[in-house]
PDB file of all heavy atoms in Angstrom:
ATOM      1  N   LEU T 371      -7.012  26.905  42.864  1.00  0.00           N
ATOM      2  CA  LEU T 371      -8.373  26.456  42.597  1.00  0.00           C
ATOM      3  C   LEU T 371      -8.833  25.513  43.704  1.00  0.00           C
ATOM      4  O   LEU T 371      -8.074  25.179  44.622  1.00  0.00           O
ATOM      5  CB  LEU T 371      -8.433  25.771  41.234  1.00  0.00           C
ATOM      6  CG  LEU T 371      -8.061  26.663  40.039  1.00  0.00           C
ATOM      7  CD1 LEU T 371      -8.139  25.879  38.751  1.00  0.00           C
ATOM      8  CD2 LEU T 371      -8.953  27.884  39.967  1.00  0.00           C
ATOM      9  N   GLN T 372     -10.089  25.073  43.616  1.00  0.00           N
ATOM     10  CA  GLN T 372     -10.654  24.218  44.636  1.00  0.00           C
ATOM     11  C   GLN T 372      -9.826  22.948  44.783  1.00  0.00           C
ATOM     12  O   GLN T 372      -9.494  22.277  43.826  1.00  0.00           O
ATOM     13  CB  GLN T 372     -12.101  23.882  44.279  1.00  0.00           C
ATOM     14  CG  GLN T 372     -12.260  23.277  42.894  1.00  0.00           C
ATOM     15  CD  GLN T 372     -13.631  23.533  42.299  1.00  0.00           C
ATOM     16  OE1 GLN T 372     -13.799  24.447  41.532  1.00  0.00           O
ATOM     17  NE2 GLN T 372     -14.612  22.724  42.659  1.00  0.00           N
ATOM     18  N   ASP T 373      -9.494  22.618  46.009  1.00  0.00           N
ATOM     19  CA  ASP T 373      -8.676  21.448  46.344  1.00  0.00           C
ATOM     20  C   ASP T 373      -7.285  21.500  45.736  1.00  0.00           C
ATOM     21  O   ASP T 373      -6.566  20.500  45.755  1.00  0.00           O
ATOM     22  CB  ASP T 373      -9.360  20.144  45.894  1.00  0.00           C
ATOM     23  CG  ASP T 373     -10.612  19.836  46.699  1.00  0.00           C
ATOM     24  OD1 ASP T 373     -10.741  20.429  47.789  1.00  0.00           O
ATOM     25  OD2 ASP T 373     -11.430  19.038  46.236  1.00  0.00           O
ATOM     26  N   THR T 374      -6.900  22.622  45.183  1.00  0.00           N
ATOM     27  CA  THR T 374      -5.591  22.727  44.531  1.00  0.00           C
ATOM     28  C   THR T 374      -5.000  24.097  44.826  1.00  0.00           C
ATOM     29  O   THR T 374      -5.469  25.099  44.293  1.00  0.00           O
ATOM     30  CB  THR T 374      -5.701  22.534  43.015  1.00  0.00           C
ATOM     31  OG1 THR T 374      -6.368  21.318  42.734  1.00  0.00           O
ATOM     32  CG2 THR T 374      -4.318  22.507  42.383  1.00  0.00           C
ATOM     33  N   ALA T 375      -3.985  24.129  45.691  1.00  0.00           N
ATOM     34  CA  ALA T 375      -3.366  25.407  46.015  1.00  0.00           C
ATOM     35  C   ALA T 375      -1.894  25.175  46.338  1.00  0.00           C
ATOM     36  O   ALA T 375      -1.564  24.548  47.350  1.00  0.00           O
ATOM     37  CB  ALA T 375      -4.077  26.079  47.191  1.00  0.00           C
ATOM     38  N   TYR T 376      -1.025  25.623  45.469  1.00  0.00           N
ATOM     39  CA  TYR T 376       0.400  25.594  45.743  1.00  0.00           C
ATOM     40  C   TYR T 376       1.106  26.502  44.746  1.00  0.00           C
ATOM     41  O   TYR T 376       0.500  27.001  43.786  1.00  0.00           O
ATOM     42  CB  TYR T 376       0.964  24.167  45.695  1.00  0.00           C
ATOM     43  CG  TYR T 376       1.030  23.534  44.330  1.00  0.00           C
ATOM     44  CD1 TYR T 376       2.207  23.551  43.584  1.00  0.00           C
ATOM     45  CD2 TYR T 376      -0.081  22.894  43.784  1.00  0.00           C
ATOM     46  CE1 TYR T 376       2.278  22.957  42.333  1.00  0.00           C
ATOM     47  CE2 TYR T 376      -0.023  22.292  42.541  1.00  0.00           C
ATOM     48  CZ  TYR T 376       1.160  22.325  41.812  1.00  0.00           C
ATOM     49  OH  TYR T 376       1.223  21.738  40.582  1.00  0.00           O
ATOM     50  N   ASN T 377       2.387  26.767  44.963  1.00  0.00           N
ATOM     51  CA  ASN T 377       3.202  27.636  44.112  1.00  0.00           C
ATOM     52  C   ASN T 377       4.281  26.806  43.425  1.00  0.00           C
ATOM     53  O   ASN T 377       4.827  25.861  44.011  1.00  0.00           O
ATOM     54  CB  ASN T 377       3.873  28.737  44.944  1.00  0.00           C
ATOM     55  CG  ASN T 377       2.863  29.642  45.624  1.00  0.00           C
ATOM     56  OD1 ASN T 377       1.789  29.877  45.096  1.00  0.00           O
ATOM     57  ND2 ASN T 377       3.198  30.118  46.820  1.00  0.00           N
ATOM     58  N   TYR T 378       4.571  27.196  42.200  1.00  0.00           N
ATOM     59  CA  TYR T 378       5.619  26.512  41.432  1.00  0.00           C
ATOM     60  C   TYR T 378       6.558  27.572  40.870  1.00  0.00           C
ATOM     61  O   TYR T 378       6.130  28.537  40.236  1.00  0.00           O
ATOM     62  CB  TYR T 378       4.992  25.693  40.305  1.00  0.00           C
ATOM     63  CG  TYR T 378       5.987  25.095  39.346  1.00  0.00           C
ATOM     64  CD1 TYR T 378       6.824  24.059  39.736  1.00  0.00           C
ATOM     65  CD2 TYR T 378       6.088  25.563  38.034  1.00  0.00           C
ATOM     66  CE1 TYR T 378       7.734  23.499  38.843  1.00  0.00           C
ATOM     67  CE2 TYR T 378       6.990  25.016  37.142  1.00  0.00           C
ATOM     68  CZ  TYR T 378       7.811  23.983  37.554  1.00  0.00           C
ATOM     69  OH  TYR T 378       8.710  23.434  36.675  1.00  0.00           O
ATOM     70  N   LEU T 379       7.846  27.412  41.119  1.00  0.00           N
ATOM     71  CA  LEU T 379       8.863  28.358  40.655  1.00  0.00           C
ATOM     72  C   LEU T 379       9.876  27.616  39.806  1.00  0.00           C
ATOM     73  O   LEU T 379      10.228  26.474  40.091  1.00  0.00           O
ATOM     74  CB  LEU T 379       9.573  29.011  41.856  1.00  0.00           C
ATOM     75  CG  LEU T 379       8.703  29.658  42.931  1.00  0.00           C
ATOM     76  CD1 LEU T 379       9.558  30.118  44.100  1.00  0.00           C
ATOM     77  CD2 LEU T 379       7.926  30.820  42.350  1.00  0.00           C
ATOM     78  N   GLN T 380      10.355  28.297  38.752  1.00  0.00           N
ATOM     79  CA  GLN T 380      11.444  27.721  37.977  1.00  0.00           C
ATOM     80  C   GLN T 380      12.275  28.834  37.373  1.00  0.00           C
ATOM     81  O   GLN T 380      11.788  29.938  37.092  1.00  0.00           O
ATOM     82  CB  GLN T 380      10.927  26.779  36.895  1.00  0.00           C
ATOM     83  CG  GLN T 380      10.124  27.427  35.785  1.00  0.00           C
ATOM     84  CD  GLN T 380       9.894  26.472  34.625  1.00  0.00           C
ATOM     85  OE1 GLN T 380      10.777  25.729  34.236  1.00  0.00           O
ATOM     86  NE2 GLN T 380       8.685  26.510  34.063  1.00  0.00           N
ATOM     87  N   SER T 381      13.547  28.558  37.162  1.00  0.00           N
ATOM     88  CA  SER T 381      14.461  29.500  36.522  1.00  0.00           C
ATOM     89  C   SER T 381      15.477  28.705  35.729  1.00  0.00           C
ATOM     90  O   SER T 381      15.778  27.544  36.062  1.00  0.00           O
ATOM     91  CB  SER T 381      15.163  30.386  37.558  1.00  0.00           C
ATOM     92  OG  SER T 381      15.941  29.591  38.443  1.00  0.00           O
ATOM     93  N   GLY T 382      15.993  29.316  34.675  1.00  0.00           N
ATOM     94  CA  GLY T 382      16.954  28.593  33.864  1.00  0.00           C
ATOM     95  C   GLY T 382      17.416  29.377  32.665  1.00  0.00           C
ATOM     96  O   GLY T 382      17.132  30.577  32.518  1.00  0.00           O
ATOM     97  N   THR T 383      18.110  28.687  31.785  1.00  0.00           N
ATOM     98  CA  THR T 383      18.612  29.264  30.541  1.00  0.00           C
ATOM     99  C   THR T 383      18.297  28.302  29.399  1.00  0.00           C
ATOM    100  O   THR T 383      18.254  27.081  29.588  1.00  0.00           O
ATOM    101  CB  THR T 383      20.123  29.495  30.605  1.00  0.00           C
ATOM    102  OG1 THR T 383      20.787  28.237  30.791  1.00  0.00           O
ATOM    103  CG2 THR T 383      20.485  30.442  31.743  1.00  0.00           C
TER     104      THR T 383
END
Side-chain angles (χ1 to χ4, degrees):
L371 299 179
Q372 55 207 97
D373 291 342
T374 306
Y376 70 97
N377 298 328
Y378 172 70
L379 308 174
Q380 66 169 319
S381 61
T383 62

